[in-house]
Amino acid sequence: MDASINKAITAIAPQLQIWRRDFHQYAESGWFEFRTATLVADELSRLGYQLQLGKEVINADDRMGLPSPEQLAEQEKRAIAQGALPQWLSHFSGGFTGIVATLDTGKPGPTLAFRVDMDALDLNEDLTQQHRPHAEGFSSCNAHMMHACGHDGHTAIGLGLAHILKQFESQLIGRIKIIFQPAEEGTRGAKSMTTAGVVDDVDFFVAIHIGTGVPKGELVCGSKSFLATTKFDVTYRGVAAHSGAKPEEGKNALVAAAQATLALYGIPHHSEGSSRINVGVLNAGIGRNVIADHALMKVETRGETNQINEFVYQQAMNIIEGAAKMQGVDVDIKLMGSAQSSHPSPQWVNFISHLAQNKIPELTSIVDDKGQAAGSEDATYFMERTKALGGQATYLIFGTDLSAGHHNERFDFDEDVMSVAVKTLATIALSLPEFEQGHHDE
């Protein structure tokens, strides 16, 4: 198998680059992945995968940080102009840009799922010759949208994996799902796919990422460093008044937001683990001589565990609502995103680690977890649901050289990592009978 899979990976490597650069050039941020989703669906359909699309795999009520209907319609028109395939677009209209592709081998066995994400960031890409995507003609053509986190590579990896699995279908067992998730940035999309049931039949789950500071050639087999998080917008609404003539008639939304902001940073740390609180945006008022009648805060909490994050979140709610009462203003709180903390399944991590050491020579260093806490990932919803129903789950990080850090306007990565990722994921699928046997023998 090793020689044949190596040959297949070598053959598909140029196509991986073509896909990645196309997705990069036509970057689409969360819930706007119309063009990307139609191209992915078309390729998967051509390969013969069973497809579930749009509302079949996304629970409308659990989408977070959803743009306005007007914005969604505008971006859908933009996608059509940029080559979205009309025959698929109706499935994704309105921001239901999720896909689950299933390969049913017809042979007894477990269900294995891989998750990749498709969305770009709300960021303007660097357009200088020092930035390779611009120098080589594939920088984003969409203002304020850029693949600065590698999701263009993730989507290409998902498609490459789909091709390889079809080539080696006769050697596979059970069912294999590839989940193409929208709106990972801001941790907005996974919960809606989880509550739609897309992993309820999954026995083994793998989510992936490239980069994140992990060196080229290194694989992190079981990252558990993700913090639980809740992201929300706070809108205070007061009463405007002339600040000189009738200040007593005003209800100051700006002061409420300022008081809340300062108090949020006074939330105590938790004895059982690390926590975070941040107010990233505070906009208020309209004029120097007007009592501010509105204020907007964009806030996030994080915690090492779900319980710690919930503690910080509840403290934040008390403060935000208290500030409103102090100033006599109304307050509206809108959930914009969330993710959980999740620890990978040790047996599954151990199996993948040994597999990578023995069968993927391109990986020169295998570690179970680097323990680098800071960020959050909503793939944790898939992981926790899989585990809750008796399955096993993990999160893999493939190291690669980066031109700049994630979420930076000059972000780019060594495209060789895509072939390594496809080979590793395909090898996991092909080796599943081995793990199943050992799992049942214990």
Side-chain angles (χ1 to χ4, degrees):
M1 180 187 77
D2 291 349
S4 57
I5 198 170
N6 284 337
K7 184 177 179 180
I9 296 295
T10 301
I12 204 171
Q15 184 61 53
L16 293 174
Q17 183 187 82
I18 290 169
W19 283 325
R20 180 260 163 155
R21 294 188 174 201
D22 178 73
F23 297 139
H24 190 97
Q25 184 171 2
Y26 296 97
E28 299 175 302
S29 53
W31 304 122
F32 293 149
E33 306 94 333
F34 299 113
R35 180 184 182 275
T36 304
T38 65
L39 296 179
V40 168
D42 194 66
E43 187 72 19
L44 294 168
S45 175
R46 191 177 65 77
L47 288 170
Y49 279 77
Q50 301 170 15
L51 297 184
Q52 294 172 284
L53 308 172
K55 293 179 181 179
E56 293 179 293
V57 296
I58 291 178
N59 184 333
D61 294 337
D62 283 330
R63 291 184 297 172
M64 293 178 281
L66 190 67
S68 70
E70 293 77 19
Q71 290 172 314
L72 288 164
E74 177 187 351
Q75 291 301 320
E76 198 168 326
K77 289 180 181 177
R78 185 267 316 153
I80 293 170
Q82 293 179 350
L85 301 176
Q87 66 267 35
W88 294 104
L89 194 56
S90 62
H91 295 283
F92 308 118
S93 186
F96 290 89
T97 45
I99 300 168
V100 177
T102 301
L103 176 61
D104 190 340
T105 69
K107 289 178 280 188
T111 297
L112 167 65
F114 298 100
R115 176 276 213 168
V116 295
D117 40 21
M118 300 187 290
D119 58 319
L121 282 146
D122 297 333
L123 184 69
N124 286 316
E125 186 159 9
D126 179 68
L127 299 179
T128 66
Q129 288 300 112
Q130 290 73 40
H131 183 52
R132 182 180 67 163
H134 181 69
E136 298 187 13
F138 65 96
S139 55
S140 176
C141 65
N142 292 323
H144 208 51
M145 295 185 193
M146 177 197 172
H147 275 292
C149 199
H151 297 188
D152 49 347
H154 298 170
T155 306
I157 289 166
L159 288 178
L161 176 63
H163 273 258
I164 299 299
L165 293 178
K166 284 299 291 187
Q167 289 180 49
F168 291 86
E169 185 174 0
S170 64
Q171 300 177 38
L172 299 168
I173 63 170
R175 300 166 76 243
I176 300 173
K177 289 184 167 186
I178 308 177
I179 300 166
F180 291 83
Q181 182 205 315
E184 187 282 324
E185 298 297 351
T187 58
R188 296 177 289 159
K191 183 180 181 181
S192 65
M193 296 190 83
T194 304
T195 58
V198 302
V199 295
D200 283 2
D201 60 345
V202 170
D203 301 293
F204 301 104
F205 175 85
V206 175
I208 70 159
H209 212 296
I210 60 173
T212 74
V214 177
K216 181 177 181 178
E218 182 167 292
L219 174 67
V220 179
C221 287
S223 181
K224 56 177 179 284
S225 60
F226 300 116
L227 303 177
T229 186
T230 306
K231 304 175 190 301
F232 53 96
D233 289 355
V234 179
T235 302
Y236 287 110
R237 294 185 178 87
V239 177
H242 193 291
S243 61
K246 292 286 184 178
E248 73 280 5
E249 293 182 359
K251 302 291 184 182
N252 202 318
L254 185 154
V255 173
Q259 289 175 324
T261 297
L262 291 174
L264 287 172
Y265 285 97
I267 293 175
H269 297 298
H270 200 287
S271 64
E272 295 180 4
S274 62
S275 61
R276 306 280 194 277
I277 181 79
N278 191 55
V279 180
V281 173
L282 197 166
N283 294 324
I286 55 173
R288 186 188 308 276
N289 60 349
V290 181
I291 301 298
D293 67 348
H294 66 274
L296 169 68
M297 300 165 60
K298 295 189 176 185
V299 189
E300 66 172 17
T301 65
R302 300 185 198 246
E304 190 171 330
T305 66
N306 297 328
Q307 292 73 26
I308 293 171
N309 181 62
E310 182 63 21
F311 165 80
V312 178
Y313 177 74
Q314 290 301 332
Q315 293 289 312
M317 292 299 102
N318 292 339
I319 288 167
I320 290 163
E321 291 165 3
K325 291 178 181 177
M326 289 172 66
Q327 297 302 323
V329 300
D330 295 327
V331 63
D332 177 68
I333 301 167
K334 184 178 180 181
L335 181 65
M336 300 300 290
S338 68
Q340 299 179 295
S341 63
S342 182
H343 285 199
S345 306
Q347 289 177 313
W348 189 222
V349 170
N350 189 53
F351 171 72
I352 294 172
S353 177
H354 282 85
L355 199 65
Q357 290 172 15
N358 296 325
K359 296 190 176 183
I360 315 292
E362 296 88 348
L363 295 170
T364 55
S365 175
I366 316 294
V367 297
D368 284 353
D369 180 47
K370 295 184 81 72
Q372 49 188 34
S376 303
E377 234 286 11
D378 66 354
T380 48
Y381 276 108
F382 294 122
M383 293 175 66
E384 287 297 283
R385 181 62 176 169
T386 299
K387 289 162 54 184
L389 295 175
Q392 300 192 40
T394 194
Y395 192 101
L396 306 184
I397 302 175
F398 293 90
T400 184
D401 293 334
L402 303 176
S403 62
H406 291 259
H407 298 209
N408 184 290
E409 63 180 4
R410 290 193 176 184
F411 178 87
D412 190 21
F413 61 87
D414 182 341
E415 292 169 324
D416 290 345
V417 71
M418 295 188 291
S419 294
V420 177
V422 171
K423 181 178 179 181
T424 303
L425 301 181
T427 302
I428 290 170
L430 289 161
S431 304
L432 196 57
E434 176 188 336
F435 180 67
E436 269 284 278
Q437 186 59 43
H439 190 49
H440 288 309
D441 288 346
E442 291 178 358

